[in-house]
Amino acid sequence: MLIDSHVNLHAPQFADDQAEVIGRARAAGVGMMVTICDRVSSFPAVKAIADAHGDIWCTVGTHPHEAKENPSLAAQTLIDLAASPRVVGIGETGLDYHYDFSPREIQRQVFAAHIDAARATGLPLVVHTREADADMIAMLEAAHAAGPFKLLLHCYTSGAELAARAAALGAWFSVSGIATFKAAETVRAVIRDMPADRIIVETDCPYLAPVPYRGRRNEPAYLPHVLARLAEVRGWSLQEAEARTERAFFDLFDRIPRPATLFPASA
């Protein structure tokens, strides 16, 4: 089974053909998707997609770009919304110092609320990080010392030190279409050192379409190109890459029932 761990199906880019996009994904062998909440105010639309499709799950949270929308966001708000059985993660959340669309202090404040919610619910924290390595690892390590929680660094493009220190906390990592870009050798170098049992794949559609679709609207149907590049980088066969990423996905998103045909959870 191919699993797209990070899609944005409520995005306006899919407003006119969302059903067709989902159909093409299934035809391409994508058996499951997690559609991501970018702000709490979008959660009803995100959840409606998951409610309508048995093979699509969702998260609840606010992207760091949108943190300014609700700077006083409380962990309890996220905890209450995450009670829905279709919610399998907290986020997307984190720190983005590249654009600073939200003030950094507000980003950190909102991120902290998500960490508390992840710890309280036991659901994995879906983390976005860009040009914020020092603050990101400081917050993750301090929070983890106060009480462990599961976390995923999605679409990972940050440095090797953050990756290593997050891996020491038990983090999972997701690989996106960026891994296929010609100029992304530094990203591929980090992928080579990621924990083999904690790597999953994503498209982050409608963004970051992989080669040979780069520059177009991305779709979950393009996930096989991401998996193929991951397999090449890690020296795995396609079959091994698919099996490893599937197993890692269910180890992380453990609210989703594990298929009976899948190997047991990783030790």
Side-chain angles (χ1 to χ4, degrees):
M1 182 195 298
L2 293 175
I3 304 172
D4 195 336
S5 64
H6 199 108
V7 299
N8 299 279
L9 292 176
H10 74 293
Q13 292 91 329
F14 296 130
D16 294 333
D17 64 346
Q18 183 189 95
E20 290 80 5
V21 167
I22 293 170
R24 284 192 291 270
R26 291 167 177 159
V30 178
M32 189 172 292
M33 293 173 266
V34 178
T35 194
I36 302 297
C37 187
D38 61 339
R39 63 182 83 184
V40 170
S41 61
S42 298
F43 179 66
V46 173
K47 181 176 175 290
I49 295 170
D51 285 341
H53 302 278
D55 55 354
I56 301 176
W57 304 76
C58 71
T59 66
V60 60
T62 292
H63 192 286
H65 288 341
E66 313 299 341
K68 61 183 179 294
E69 177 182 271
N70 189 356
S72 299
L73 179 65
Q76 191 60 51
T77 298
L78 297 166
I79 293 166
D80 291 346
L81 294 172
S84 166
R86 302 303 298 172
V87 176
V88 298
I90 302 295
E92 167 181 9
T93 182
L95 304 174
D96 191 312
Y97 293 173
H98 179 75
Y99 289 111
D100 283 327
F101 287 154
S102 289
R104 294 183 181 185
E105 182 56 37
I106 290 176
Q107 290 187 48
R108 291 189 288 267
Q109 182 175 310
V110 172
F111 184 35
H114 285 74
I115 292 172
D116 290 344
R119 185 186 295 112
T121 61
L123 296 176
L125 186 72
V126 179
V127 176
H128 169 106
T129 181
R130 187 173 186 187
E131 297 179 17
D133 288 21
D135 280 358
M136 176 58 66
I137 196 58
M139 290 189 68
L140 288 177
E141 288 180 342
H144 215 267
F149 52 92
K150 298 175 81 171
L151 70 144
L152 166 67
L153 296 184
H154 106 91
C155 188
Y156 192 80
T157 58
S158 291
E161 182 181 358
L162 173 57
R165 291 171 68 174
L169 300 178
W172 277 253
F173 299 84
S174 63
V175 173
S176 74
I178 292 174
T180 71
F181 297 176
K182 182 177 181 180
E185 183 52 40
T186 56
V187 172
R188 289 187 287 273
V190 175
I191 291 171
R192 292 185 187 101
D193 289 333
M194 288 175 178
D197 60 343
R198 285 181 266 142
I199 302 174
I200 60 178
V201 287
E202 64 167 283
T203 59
D204 199 13
C205 65
Y207 317 107
L208 303 175
V211 174
Y213 302 104
R214 188 174 182 185
R216 306 184 197 178
R217 182 189 71 171
N218 199 6
E219 295 191 12
Y222 301 159
L223 187 67
H225 297 278
V226 178
L227 185 76
R229 192 60 162 140
L230 170 63
E232 179 184 339
V233 170
R234 294 294 305 219
W236 297 337
S237 68
L238 275 176
Q239 183 178 16
E240 181 182 7
E242 184 173 342
R244 283 183 175 276
T245 56
E246 180 181 0
R247 184 171 180 175
F249 174 88
F250 286 104
D251 286 349
L252 175 64
F253 290 104
D254 54 6
R255 179 175 277 187
I256 303 175
R258 185 181 295 265
T261 56
L262 190 65
F263 290 117
S266 301

